[in-house]
Amino acid sequence: MDVPRRDDEVEGADGTPVGRRAALGLLGLGAAGVVFGAGVQERIARLLAPIAARDPTGLTQLIPGAGGFRIYTVTGSLPNRSRAAWKLKVHGLVDHPFTIGYSELVEMEPTGITADFQCVTGWRVQDVRWKGVKLADLLERAGVQDAGSHLRLTSFDGAYTESLTLAQARRDDVLVAYEMLGKGVSSEHGGPVRLYVAPMYGYKSLKWLETIEVVDELIPGYWEERGYDVDGWVGRSNGRSDDPPEVHGS
Ligand SMILES: Nc1nc2c(c(=O)[nH]1)N[C@H]1C(S)=C(S)[C@@H](COP(=O)(O)O)O[C@H]1N2
Ligand SMILES: [Mo]
């Protein structure tokens, strides 16, 4: 799929730009008039390398590409919500709509998964540890009505959305995740709570999760409206990889 690319922007989800404002935010630069050209990721990495060496606390995660991950946000900014302020609303075609907070979520039965994380653009991070609650358990609590067939998920970034069929959502390897990489999901990785759809490309794993709505039709997500497969199975959809990652529970 062809997406226009501007020179002053950092590469995003599928080679599309993250946006200059986000890049400035990542760098902690507020300065107006900073112009990014080609090779910006390399220059950011070079610029931050000495700082990162002195500060192993997580700054390196903010360098695009560091640790294998790239930080994606389609809005051009990184939303931030504390655990205390975070709430997830489960509603739509359900008998018992509810809202759940962070502390209640982490008291539910946890599931751990270790698997490769793969973006449709080709980058992959091996053996990422995740922990969260099965999406199936939240749906069970809500009591999905017979008319429900799909989910529509939204993010508190105000823009990103995703879709799943109910069958996909009820898989054991689909989590509402509050831990990633062995610690709480960091803000830039979509914390305090994000979706994790282990068998599918990264775009299905919506960050900054805010609502889950049971609906009676497919409502394509953000990237799906822009040409990506709704069924984003690794190796079996219009991505680049042909070998699915290993998924094993833990
Ligand atoms: N809200 C939101 N969720 C998102 C995205 C995004 O831009 N916004 N990008 C998706 C894509 S394309 C990928 S590959 C992963 C990247 O996760 P990361 O930013 O933690 O590396 O997040 C997915 N979830
Ligand atoms: Mo992606």
Side-chain angles (χ1 to χ4, degrees):
M1 146 182 123
D2 281 321
V3 187
R5 175 100 181 248
R6 295 217 319 260
D7 257 8
D8 64 345
E9 288 171 311
V10 177
E11 187 183 346
D14 63 337
T16 55
V18 158
R20 200 161 147 237
R21 200 151 47 96
L24 290 171
L26 290 175
L27 283 167
L29 301 174
V34 178
V35 178
F36 288 148
V40 65
Q41 292 202 13
E42 286 71 22
R43 282 194 282 132
I44 291 171
R46 220 181 305 132
L47 190 68
L48 291 185
I51 311 168
R54 267 181 279 122
D55 174 17
T57 55
L59 180 63
T60 50
Q61 286 190 1
L62 297 180
I63 305 170
F69 276 96
R70 297 183 186 198
I71 305 299
Y72 284 162
T73 178
V74 297
T75 60
S77 63
L78 292 168
N80 199 350
R81 192 163 291 182
S82 69
R83 288 174 180 174
W86 180 83
K87 278 180 169 43
L88 170 66
K89 184 175 164 188
V90 183
H91 67 128
L93 298 170
V94 298
D95 289 334
H96 315 288
F98 65 92
T99 297
I100 187 170
Y102 187 90
S103 52
E104 198 185 339
L105 186 77
V106 300
E107 275 163 21
M108 290 179 67
E109 192 193 329
T111 296
I113 294 177
T114 301
D116 295 355
F117 188 83
Q118 184 157 335
C119 175
V120 73
T121 59
W123 57 268
R124 178 192 289 195
V125 183
Q126 290 185 341
D127 292 332
V128 181
R129 282 167 58 206
W130 297 83
K131 186 175 165 187
V133 169
K134 282 182 192 137
L135 178 51
D137 292 347
L138 293 168
L139 294 174
E140 180 70 28
R141 171 169 164 187
V144 175
Q145 295 173 357
D146 288 346
S149 62
H150 291 77
L151 298 188
R152 174 175 183 270
L153 302 113
T154 69
S155 166
F156 61 79
D157 69 9
Y160 203 86
T161 58
E162 255 310 330
S163 71
L164 288 171
T165 66
L166 269 182
Q168 291 164 359
R170 286 177 168 141
R171 290 174 58 106
D172 281 350
D173 53 3
V174 175
L175 304 183
V176 169
Y178 50 82
E179 280 189 24
M180 172 183 177
L181 299 164
K183 55 188 169 62
V185 179
S186 66
S187 179
E188 68 270 17
H189 277 303
V193 179
R194 75 181 289 176
L195 194 68
Y196 174 54
V197 182
M200 296 197 186
Y201 286 113
Y203 64 89
K204 301 298 292 192
S205 293
L206 172 141
K207 307 203 294 184
W208 306 299
L209 178 62
E210 186 172 45
T211 71
I212 297 171
E213 183 183 8
V214 179
V215 291
D216 61 2
E217 61 178 340
L218 167 69
I219 302 174
Y222 183 91
W223 285 118
E224 295 154 17
E225 281 185 314
R226 290 160 178 77
Y228 283 98
D229 284 346
V230 164
D231 300 321
W233 306 110
V234 171
R236 281 186 283 142
S237 52
N238 60 1
R240 287 192 191 160
S241 167
D242 14 62
D243 52 329
E246 294 256 299
V247 176
H248 33 101
S250 66

